[in-house]
Amino acid sequence: MVSLQQEALIGRVFETFVTEHHHGDLLRTKEDTHHSVVVNAMTLFEANMEVGDYFNAYPSDVLNIFDKVLQRKAMELTDVEHGGLQRPKEQTMKTFHTRITGLPVCPELTRHTIPRSRDVGHFLSVTGTVIRTSVAKVLEYERDYMCTKCKHVFKVQADFDQFYTSVPPAGCPNSAECNSFKFTCLSGETEPAACRDYQEIKIQEQVQRLSVGSIPRSLVVVLEDDLVDLCKSGDDVTVYGVMSLRWKPFHEGLGCEVELVLKANNVEVNNQQAAASLLAKDVQRDFDEFWEDYRHDPLAGRNQILMSLCPKVFGMYVVKLAVAMVLAGGVQRVDSSGTKIRGECHMLLVGDPGTGKSQFLKYAAKIISRSVLTAGIGSTSAGLTVAAVKDGGEWHLEAGALVLSDGGLCCIDEFNSIKEHDRISIHEAMEQQSISVAKAGMVCKLNTRTSILAATNPKGQYDSSEPLSVNVALASPLLSRFDLVLVLRDTRNPEWDRIISSFILEDRGPPVESSSLWSMEKMKAYFSIIKQLQPQVSEEAKCILTRYYQLQRQSDGRNAARTTIRMLESLSRLAEAHARLMFREMVTIEDAVTAVSVMECSMQGGALLGNVNALLTSFPDDPVQQYQTQCQILLEGLNLPLLLQTEMDRLSR
């Protein structure tokens, strides 16, 4: 325990610290009854090392002293403000909390794994993903008791260690005159007087940080007062708090179950988007310079980025372009009636074994901040959407893969092995971007604004004479929801095999540092920055997309599952995505032509470019030349000579 002299010392040091650093925070109070002052631990410990030692030894006691000092200081300040007059009532009601942040980064204090029992009583910060949040409850935290003999009235605090039960003391606190041990509870009949909000959440270790083969462990975190409802399922959070034990009240003949909980003092939600925007300024300058260098040949700049995408896979130019467009995503449109048209693209990779499908999924999951990677064979509809879990006699909703990746990317491997009725649950998530749940007496709607990148094997040998839905054994409602379906066929081309084998074996040799490729971090930053662009579609681009859509609708060998009105929406999304990838705010003819040519590769036996095997497409030596040829074939095929003329003039300049 902290002695009185130590308490006085800690109080003095903290008071000086607060006056110096947080004077403004105490004056700028909100209307709520709780007001938090966030204190940086490093700055405080630098001001006085001794306080740091006491804080590590007795965190709960020291935090209580901090709160008392804050309360006192705030009262003094309001007295000064009101010139010694009666202070307003709401000011006396306000409770102040010290929230600690910025612990020194060392393995004793900052953890990425779940702490063990040896950490009980220590103040730690734990980083993890929220997997479940309970309902916010009301908690009675103190009661008045009266001694039946000497009529002495005293308060008893609810005991955190025993699930907040009020346990009367063994003997009367007024021990000088009285030795009774019978008490009556005064607040038993009336409504509880002292209440506060309280909520439990469950956090799980981040999967990226785990060693191979270990199952992520989870930990219960208890939030009180203004920390309640700060985070939701799927958020990455850092929780600062004291590790504690708690147990149910004892009964004779029953074993005692003790569990570890973290009593939170502060919660920080680290969604990567926020972190990325802080980096944005200097990183954005990098990218502006990059595009400035490639001003005369932007397609070569784009190919530079595509080469850095999944560099372990050789060639596959069209697939890399398509994946990059899906990761960039289009712009969500909301019309005047409030109907949303999704901006996220979905893509399905169908391919023979060994064509590198899973490599793309793994890489994509790494460079998008909120992403979930799951395999089809073990996924049920509850695991993908939302599960109702019974916990302590109450039902909770636990978020599944699609809800956890809201605002990010969900990669589903072995897509065809999801059972038929479980696959239906993905329909609503893909087009309406939400999931409606009516389970266990809970009716709610959850957002799933996520891009889906799925991979599947064809049923047996891929037969190009049959339509796609027969080869993949997926129903047309589901197929029409994918913006792109790329077929990777292993045609056993000897020339290609020779190039590939030399590429793979070169990699086995001593590592060659390729300086021109972008690092993983740079790719992450680039994709989070371009997601903030909102490109507008120009008239010429609209004209090309509409023409192409009409042509596809009228072609004889058209695939009914793919050429629905959704295809036109997909085309505009892909064109916007390409504009984002090229780091610009306007969708030009170039973006529209690229979107159409990628869609052609996805249409199997397209109307204009003929049959293209996406697997065998290598990076062009002269991207402008290749684009010129594409442009000529497409725009002549679509019968748009004027646009072709304008574009050729632009290229010749």
Side-chain angles (χ1 to χ4, degrees):
M1 287 296 290
V2 182
S3 71
L4 287 172
Q5 291 135 329
Q6 292 166 342
E7 185 169 334
L9 165 81
I10 294 169
R12 277 200 308 279
V13 171
F14 189 64
E15 189 162 349
T16 350
F17 178 80
V18 168
T19 321
E20 193 181 327
H21 295 273
H22 296 283
H23 187 270
D25 294 346
L26 290 175
L27 292 174
R28 272 198 311 273
T29 57
K30 299 195 288 294
E31 295 301 303
D32 310 337
T33 47
H34 296 281
H35 183 69
S36 293
V37 176
V38 180
V39 173
N40 189 314
M42 290 285 276
T43 335
L44 175 61
F45 297 166
E46 276 165 14
N48 188 312
M49 284 306 295
E50 218 174 328
V51 171
D53 295 341
Y54 288 135
F55 180 75
N56 285 335
Y58 315 106
S60 306
D61 301 342
V62 176
L63 283 171
N64 284 339
I65 300 172
F66 286 176
D67 287 354
K68 282 180 200 156
V69 172
L70 272 187
Q71 198 76 28
R72 193 172 70 234
K73 194 78 196 141
M75 292 300 170
E76 285 171 17
L77 285 176
T78 39
D79 281 355
V80 172
E81 226 175 83
H82 294 283
L85 301 168
Q86 185 69 40
R87 66 169 78 93
K89 181 167 180 284
E90 67 271 9
Q91 197 61 42
T92 46
M93 297 289 289
K94 226 177 213 122
T95 322
F96 284 83
H97 302 282
T98 314
R99 303 285 180 215
I100 302 288
T101 179
L103 285 177
V105 181
C106 61
E108 290 81 30
L109 298 176
T110 42
R111 302 291 173 88
H112 291 292
T113 53
I114 297 299
R116 299 294 177 97
S117 54
R118 62 168 178 270
D119 299 309
V120 170
H122 292 276
F123 191 91
L124 306 169
S125 84
V126 183
T127 307
T129 310
V130 181
I131 52 169
R132 182 192 303 176
T133 55
S134 77
V135 212
K137 297 176 187 164
V138 175
L139 164 79
E140 187 182 7
Y141 63 92
E142 66 177 16
R143 282 183 176 178
D144 291 339
Y145 281 88
M146 185 175 73
C147 170
T148 46
K149 190 172 173 186
C150 68
K151 301 290 183 263
H152 171 65
V153 177
F154 56 92
K155 288 187 187 311
V156 173
Q157 300 285 336
D159 186 7
F160 174 79
D161 299 339
Q162 300 189 38
F163 285 87
Y164 293 112
T165 44
S166 294
V167 185
C172 177
N174 189 12
S175 52
E177 304 107 51
C178 171
N179 54 2
S180 159
F181 47 86
K182 287 194 173 169
F183 315 104
T184 50
C185 175
L186 295 180
S187 51
E189 274 70 57
T190 59
E191 77 253 18
C195 290
R196 59 162 64 130
D197 294 332
Y198 136 91
Q199 181 186 29
E200 289 187 8
I201 63 173
K202 203 171 194 180
I203 64 172
Q204 180 182 328
E205 295 169 337
Q206 287 174 314
V207 190
Q208 307 90 287
R209 310 256 182 185
L210 286 182
S211 54
V212 177
S214 52
I215 296 174
R217 300 195 306 270
S218 55
L219 171 75
V220 176
V221 178
V222 175
L223 310 176
E224 288 181 1
D225 300 325
D226 54 344
L227 294 180
V228 169
D229 280 342
L230 262 188
C231 53
K232 56 183 192 306
S233 296
D235 285 342
D236 282 340
V237 291
T238 304
V239 185
Y240 298 86
V242 184
M243 279 307 294
S244 320
L245 293 172
R246 63 175 183 180
W247 52 86
K248 294 267 168 54
F250 303 124
H251 296 292
E252 266 184 51
L254 288 178
C256 175
E257 285 183 19
V258 184
E259 66 173 7
L260 277 175
V261 291
L262 184 66
K263 190 176 182 191
N265 166 266
N266 191 11
V267 176
E268 288 175 355
V269 180
N270 358 323
N271 278 358
Q272 256 77 0
Q273 275 78 12
S277 59
L278 295 175
L279 293 171
K281 290 289 166 280
D282 44 333
V283 178
Q284 195 135 9
R285 206 172 307 119
D286 269 4
F287 295 135
D288 287 337
E289 283 167 14
F290 172 81
W291 284 108
E292 189 56 37
D293 294 346
Y294 281 105
R295 191 177 65 241
H296 300 300
D297 191 359
L299 288 172
R302 181 202 67 190
N303 289 358
Q304 186 59 48
I305 299 173
L306 294 184
M307 279 179 180
S308 322
L309 187 107
C310 211
K312 290 276 173 281
V313 176
F314 178 78
M316 294 177 81
Y317 167 66
V318 170
V319 185
K320 289 188 180 183
L321 178 58
V323 170
M325 282 155 97
V326 170
L327 297 185
V331 183
Q332 186 181 25
R333 306 258 179 254
V334 183
D335 67 4
S336 50
S337 65
T339 314
K340 290 193 180 94
I341 296 175
R342 67 181 164 100
E344 281 76 17
C345 307
H346 304 311
M347 171 168 155
L348 177 66
L349 290 171
V350 183
D352 294 327
T355 44
K357 302 182 296 293
S358 305
Q359 292 289 341
F360 281 113
L361 298 194
K362 274 185 188 162
Y363 185 85
K366 277 185 195 156
I367 61 171
I368 297 292
S369 52
R370 268 187 90 150
S371 57
V372 174
L373 179 62
T374 158
I377 193 71
S379 303
T380 58
S381 66
L384 284 171
T385 55
V386 64
V389 183
K390 196 162 193 179
D391 182 29
E394 284 190 18
W395 286 95
H396 297 304
L397 289 181
E398 202 163 280
L402 291 170
V403 180
L404 288 178
S405 59
D406 177 32
L409 175 78
C410 182
C411 302
I412 307 174
D413 210 349
E414 306 288 343
F415 192 66
N416 52 349
S417 50
I418 304 179
K419 294 188 189 71
E420 185 60 39
H421 69 271
D422 292 337
R423 222 180 286 145
I424 305 293
S425 62
I426 308 178
H427 282 201
E428 186 192 0
M430 282 177 77
E431 197 59 52
Q432 279 70 41
Q433 304 264 294
S434 66
I435 284 175
S436 313
V437 184
K439 287 185 182 185
M442 282 175 289
V443 180
C444 65
K445 199 168 183 183
L446 300 165
N447 283 329
T448 55
R449 297 171 299 246
T450 168
S451 291
I452 292 180
L453 192 53
T456 175
N457 288 323
K459 201 178 68 199
Q461 190 65 40
Y462 191 92
D463 180 5
S464 42
S465 60
E466 291 285 352
L468 181 73
S469 45
V470 175
N471 275 306
V472 198
L474 291 178
S476 25
L478 192 55
L479 274 184
S480 71
R481 282 175 162 79
F482 283 108
D483 299 40
L484 290 172
V485 180
L486 288 181
V487 177
L488 311 175
R489 300 216 321 274
D490 190 357
T491 47
R492 303 183 182 76
N493 177 330
E495 177 63 17
W496 181 254
D497 289 348
R498 207 191 73 245
I499 303 174
I500 288 285
S501 49
S502 66
F503 175 79
I504 290 177
L505 294 172
E506 226 168 68
D507 203 36
R508 292 275 184 276
V512 186
E513 263 309 306
S514 142
S515 55
S516 61
L517 291 186
W518 285 14
S519 67
M520 192 76 141
E521 291 308 310
K522 195 170 178 183
M523 293 291 277
K524 268 187 185 172
Y526 188 67
F527 278 103
S528 69
I529 283 178
I530 59 176
K531 284 209 162 165
Q532 290 152 14
L533 300 175
Q534 304 282 337
Q536 301 296 323
V537 185
S538 64
E539 285 307 315
E540 297 95 341
K542 274 184 192 158
C543 180
I544 295 176
L545 299 179
T546 329
R547 256 315 156 76
Y548 177 69
Y549 169 66
Q550 289 164 345
L551 181 80
Q552 277 291 4
R553 289 284 282 186
Q554 286 148 16
S555 90
D556 303 331
R558 80 188 187 91
N559 181 345
R562 304 274 296 126
T563 48
T564 60
I565 188 68
R566 286 191 180 135
M567 184 184 158
L568 185 59
E569 287 174 7
S570 301
L571 282 168
S572 74
R573 268 196 293 274
L574 292 171
E576 285 162 1
H578 190 260
R580 274 183 173 179
L581 195 60
M582 302 289 280
F583 211 64
R584 51 178 173 227
E585 294 275 0
M586 197 72 198
V587 178
T588 60
I589 298 181
E590 191 174 68
D591 300 317
V593 168
T594 314
V596 167
S597 57
V598 171
M599 185 60 94
E600 272 288 280
C601 298
S602 142
M603 289 306 290
Q604 291 83 51
L608 298 170
L609 294 180
N611 215 338
V612 185
N613 185 353
L615 184 69
L616 304 182
T617 47
S618 50
F619 279 79
D621 300 326
D622 182 358
V624 178
Q625 186 54 50
Q626 189 218 28
Y627 169 68
Q628 229 165 346
T629 326
Q630 257 181 6
C631 201
Q632 240 159 342
I633 300 174
L634 287 178
L635 295 180
E636 279 170 9
L638 294 174
N639 194 12
L640 295 169
L642 288 172
L643 288 183
L644 179 61
Q645 191 54 49
T646 352
E647 192 64 356
M648 288 303 154
D649 293 348
R650 185 183 72 85
L651 289 173
S652 58
R653 282 204 303 278

